[in-house]
Structures are given as C-alpha cells and as structure tokens.
Amino acid sequence: MKSPTPILPLKLEDVSFEAGGKRLIKDLHCTFDAEPRSVIIGPNGAGKSLFLKICHGLIPPHTGHVQWNDANERSVRLNQAMMLQRPVMLRRSVSANIHYPLKLRKIPKSERNTLVEDALTQAGIARLRDHPARVLSIGEQQKLALARVWALKPQVLFLDEPTASLDPAATHAVEEIIRAIHAQGTKIIMTTHDLAQAKRIADEILFMFRGRLLERAPAASFFEKPENDLAQAFVKGELLWWRLGKAHRKNTDKQANT
Amino acid sequence: MAMVEIQDTKTVKGPDTGNMNDFGEAIRAALNLLITFDSDLMEIVGLSLHVSLAAIFIASIIGLPLGAAIALFRFPGRRFFSVLLNALMGLPPVVVGLIVYLSLSRSGPFGVFGLLYSPTAMIIAQVVLVTPIIAALTRQVIEDLWMEYKDQLLSLGANPVSALPTLLWDGRFSLVTAILAGFGRASAEVGAVMIVGGNIDHMTRVMTTAIALEVSKGDLALALGLGIILLCLSLGVNGAVYAVKEAAIRRHA
Ligand SMILES: Nc1ncnc2c1ncn2[C@@H]1O[C@H](COP(=O)(O)OP(=O)(O)OP(=O)(O)O)[C@@H](O)[C@H]1O
Ligand SMILES: [Mg+2]
C-alpha cells in the first residue's frame, strides 16, 4: 500500500474558496512537511473543516493550487485518509465498515483481516465487531471512524475534531491512538476546540480566523505567547474576543481595498 | 348499498335479499375454491405470480443500476432522463399494452418472434410498466443517500463508479420497498396484460384478467376467489414493506 514516493510535503498556494457569494477561505499559503503534528485551532466557522477538506481533495479550491510531492493522483488519494467531523457509518457491521476502504484499495483478504483485527483492538471496539455500525453510540462511532482510517496506514491523516463527543477516558484513548499512528510515521493534521488537547498533541499550531490563516508557530512558543492579538484573546478564552475580530475585519478589508 | 335497503323493512324480502344471497353464495363458493385448491384457480394464480415475479426480477436488474446511474453520474441529458422516468412512472397500463402489442404484432419490429398472446409478452409488458417505477424510486433513494455519503465515500477512496454498488447495498431497505411497490403495480394491473396476453384460458389468463372476464360472464365465485387472493397479496406486500422498514430502523437507525 505504501507508495515508493512519499506524497508529502503538501503545498498550498494562494488557495481560496467561496460559496454562496462569500469568500470562506482566503489566500492560504502554507506547506506541510512529513514530521510534525499540525493542529489547527480557531473559532466555530473559521474554516477549519473547509481547510482540511480542500487539502484532502474533497472540495476543489476556486483559486490556487493544492500540490502534493507525488504527481500520481491515485497514489496521493489512496495514501491519505480523513476522519470527518461527522463521520458517516455504512449500513453494515462494524468490521465491514473497516473492510470497506481496504477492499477499495484491493488489499487481499488475508491481509485485510489482520489489518481489521488490529484496528478493532487498537480502537478498543473489538467486542462490537459484529454490531450494525449505525446503532453504535456517537462516541463508539467516533472510535470506529478512527479504526477505519487507522487500518489504512496512510501517510497523511486528517482528523477533524476527533474527540468532540468523547468522554475523558475515551478522549485519552483516542489521543493515545493518534500518538501511536504518528509514531508509525503518519503525518497528523488535525483540528480541535480543546486547547489542552492541542497542547498535548501539537508540535505546531495553525490559528485560523474567518477563512484566514493568521498565525503558525511551534506549539511551545504559540502557547507561551501568540503573536497575533486575536490568537492571544482566543487562547486566553476572552469572552468578548470576537469584538476584536470586527475591528480586525475592518482593518483587513481596508487593506484589501487599497 | 345493501345497508341502506335494510333500513326499509318492506324491502328486506325484496330482490335485494336475493342479491345478498347470491353474494353469500358466491363467497361460499369462492372460499370453497380456495380451500380445495381448485386447479383452475391455482393455475391462474400460478401464472400471475410467474409473470409478475419474472417481470419484477428483470425490471429490478434494469431499474436499480439505471436509477443509481442517473443519480450518480453527470452526463448530458441527465435531467431529461429524470423527468422522463417520472413521466413514465405514471404511464397508463393500456398505453403500455398498446405499445408492446404494436411492437410484438406480426407487422411490428419484433413480430418475427411470434410472442404476442404468450406469457412472455405479458412479462415484457409488465417490465415496461414497472422498470420506470423502480428506476425513478431508486434514483430518489440513491440521490438522497449520495448526499449523505458523498464526502465519506470519496474520502475512503471510492469514486462514483465504485460508490454505485455501495449505495445500492446501503439503500437496500428503501430499495426493497421500491421493488415491492413495483410488484404491487405489476400484479394488480389489468390493461396491459389483457391487450398483449389476450386472457386465453390455460395460456395467458392471470388473476386480474380472469376477474374482469368472470365478472362480465356472471361467474362471481371464481372472480371473488381471485379477488380475495389479490387482496391478500396486496396486504402481504404492504405488510412486507412495513416489516422491512421496521427491521431497517431497528438495525440501522
Ligand atoms: N458548502 C458551503 N456553502 C456555504 N457555506 C459554507 C459551506 N461550507 C461551509 N460553509 C461556511 O463556511 C464557514 C466555515 O465552515 P467550516 O465548517 O470550515 O468551519 P469550522 O472552522 O470547521 O467550524 P467548527 O469549529 O464549527 O467546526 C462557515 O461559516 C460555514 O457556514
Ligand atoms: Mg469544523
């Protein structure tokens, strides 16, 4: 399954996206290298999910390029995986859900069985293997979604709020799984609203606000003192921080107009 | 009608009572035919099921992938196809009968096969009748499902082509309902099979055409017996639809 060419680094050039006449992602420039765990934070509606989907190739940007190191589109597509913010369970058993993407990759059955068993055990849902996936609790579905992408052993894994509805123990378990996946050489790009989690997991932080990438810094220095004033307010959890946002938008709009 | 007459005591012993007796007589005779598995009746029921099941089988093989393809693939004329399917769904059976009759008759394009007035002709007519229903309902089901699944399936590595069987499988509960609806329509219609089958005894006589004929001949017993079976079939189909829905909700939320 591993392609001989690494698909990273991933380069975004001047990427923007609009829908309904609104620019939702604005002028993104950035590069992702293979090693560090990148965590994207920012308020609701900042465009984090859109950003991940554009990188993952689910939505085409209106302007700009998403460029992978590997020129082979198929290999790029099959060597990355994403856990959506709202994962969809197929109407079949838990284990069949994990088998599905492996079958699409034409992995032989015996090998598939091992991968599925591993993933079930790692995600702690082995006892649920024959349950219909749709009747699982939200948290269990979250773990299944993680098991499903874990089994793919991707080079890059996008995670959109992977612990959003998990209890503390499950959150801890999922963080451990993410650590393990990363330890196996998978690049992690994820979003979270849990700043403590960002601190635990991130090697670097990307701060997004209203469709813009406002700051990118190593995790330690970011949490010590973000450079951007909005990021500062966000990290401190200031309740009225969005007022700053209004002023900020006026400023940037002015800049854009001139 | 009888209810109104009964209130008038003077007419209780009038001609209506005779009809009531006829009616009761007919029901008794019909039940008798059913209980004794009357061979004529069984032959007709057997042919009906044979024709409708074959038709629904063929219509599903065509209609399911066709409907799914229209839902999934972007191609020129796709919208036209959608509208066409919906229009064909409401096609009057007699019109279908007429079209199939014309194409199968001696001078028609398929006349050489000599299929007119055979069970095969009736199967063809019902396939034409039911395929649009199955395809149109499938298109709707798959389109809705694709909305929900699209990002997930593409992310997992699927494309519209490999998503097609996935969605047909995941939509199986709704699709069974569509197929049962098609079966209901096929087994209940009379116009098309009458025209292309001709209601020939021991050959192309099915339940609906037999009922039409026996009623006009005045033999109510056979007509009623067949009517009861059709009713039970319809109840059974609707019961099955209900059971499938329940099972789907229980197992897959
Ligand atoms: N297809 C679309 N059409 C129109 N607007 C959209 C579309 N997709 C997203 N948006 C808008 O884009 C903005 C960013 O959405 P996105 O889902 O990326 O936010 P997010 O940062 O992930 O937020 P959250 O933290 O709540 O998950 C939102 O305001 C949303 O309403
Ligand atoms: Mg989001």
Side-chain angles (χ1 to χ4, degrees), chain B residues 2-253:
Chain B
M3 290 291 285
V4 181
E5 304 290 344
I6 284 167
Q7 286 175 345
D8 185 347
T9 43
K10 274 186 185 160
T11 54
V12 164
K13 289 193 187 315
D16 272 314
T17 331
N19 277 348
M20 290 271 287
N21 282 341
D22 275 0
F23 191 65
E25 201 59 43
I27 286 197
R28 211 165 302 133
L31 290 178
N32 200 32
L33 288 178
L34 291 177
I35 295 164
T36 58
F37 290 100
D38 177 76
S39 66
D40 274 358
L41 181 116
M42 286 304 135
E43 194 185 344
I44 293 171
V45 172
L47 183 66
S48 295
L49 289 178
H50 169 77
V51 167
S52 295
L53 288 176
I56 209 70
F57 180 71
I58 297 167
S60 302
I61 288 179
I62 304 170
L64 291 175
L66 182 69
I70 293 173
L72 290 179
F73 305 139
R74 311 284 135 192
F75 53 89
R78 171 173 174 272
R79 193 171 305 203
F80 169 76
F81 259 98
S82 289
V83 174
L84 183 72
L85 271 190
N86 281 326
L88 289 180
M89 217 162 103
L91 217 56
V94 282
V95 173
V96 171
L98 187 62
I99 294 166
V100 175
Y101 177 90
L102 290 177
S103 26
L104 294 184
S105 67
R106 287 270 163 245
S107 52
F110 304 108
V112 285
F113 299 114
L115 290 175
L116 208 56
Y117 303 130
S118 72
T120 309
M122 300 197 291
I123 293 173
I124 293 172
Q126 291 198 347
V127 167
V128 174
L129 203 62
V130 168
T131 302
I133 297 181
I134 295 185
L137 293 176
T138 301
R139 184 195 63 85
Q140 193 57 56
V141 168
I142 299 299
E143 214 164 80
D144 292 349
L145 209 56
W146 184 230
M147 285 246 263
E148 184 193 348
Y149 278 42
K150 189 174 182 185
D151 277 356
Q152 184 68 70
L153 292 187
L154 294 180
S155 168
L156 291 176
N159 54 40
V161 176
S162 55
L164 193 144
T166 307
L167 293 171
L168 282 178
W169 178 248
D170 271 46
R172 59 196 178 277
F173 296 107
S174 313
L175 293 176
V176 164
T177 313
I179 292 172
L180 287 173
F183 180 72
R185 170 140 159 142
S187 59
E189 78 80 31
V190 53
V193 285
M194 183 73 104
I195 295 176
V196 303
N199 191 33
I200 304 166
D201 206 2
H202 302 303
M203 251 280 281
T204 59
R205 182 161 297 173
V206 291
M207 287 193 272
T208 52
T209 57
I211 291 176
L213 176 80
E214 301 302 333
V215 168
S216 63
K217 270 187 3 194
D219 179 0
L220 285 184
L222 188 58
L224 256 177
L226 291 168
I228 291 170
I229 293 182
L230 263 181
L231 194 68
C232 293
L233 204 62
S234 164
L235 280 176
V237 166
N238 282 295
V241 169
Y242 189 77
V244 166
K245 278 211 180 110
E246 288 285 292
I249 289 168
R250 218 173 29 249
R251 276 186 61 79
H252 297 281

Side-chain angles (χ1 to χ4, degrees), chain A residues 224-241:
Chain A
E224 200 175 307
K225 186 162 176 35
E227 280 175 18
N228 185 284
D229 51 349
L230 284 165
Q232 271 175 28
F234 183 75
V235 169
K236 273 192 251 158
E238 282 173 14
L239 282 178
L240 292 177
W241 70 284

Side-chain angles (χ1 to χ4, degrees), chain A residues 53 56 58 77-78 80 82 84 87-92 100-101 104-105 132 134-135 148, chain B residues 145 148-149 151-159 162-163 166 169-170 172 250-253:
Chain A
K53 284 183 184 177
H56 187 42
L58 283 182
R77 226 159 66 84
L78 297 185
Q80 53 174 308
M82 174 160 174
L84 296 168
V88 179
M89 300 299 130
L90 304 183
R91 288 172 170 77
R92 28 194 113 182
Y100 179 78
L104 288 176
R105 284 161 176 74
R134 288 249 168 182
V135 300
R148 194 161 59 179
Chain B
L145 209 56
E148 184 193 348
Y149 278 42
D151 277 356
Q152 184 68 70
L153 292 187
L154 294 180
S155 168
L156 291 176
N159 54 40
S162 55
T166 307
W169 178 248
D170 271 46
R172 59 196 178 277
R250 218 173 29 249
R251 276 186 61 79
H252 297 281

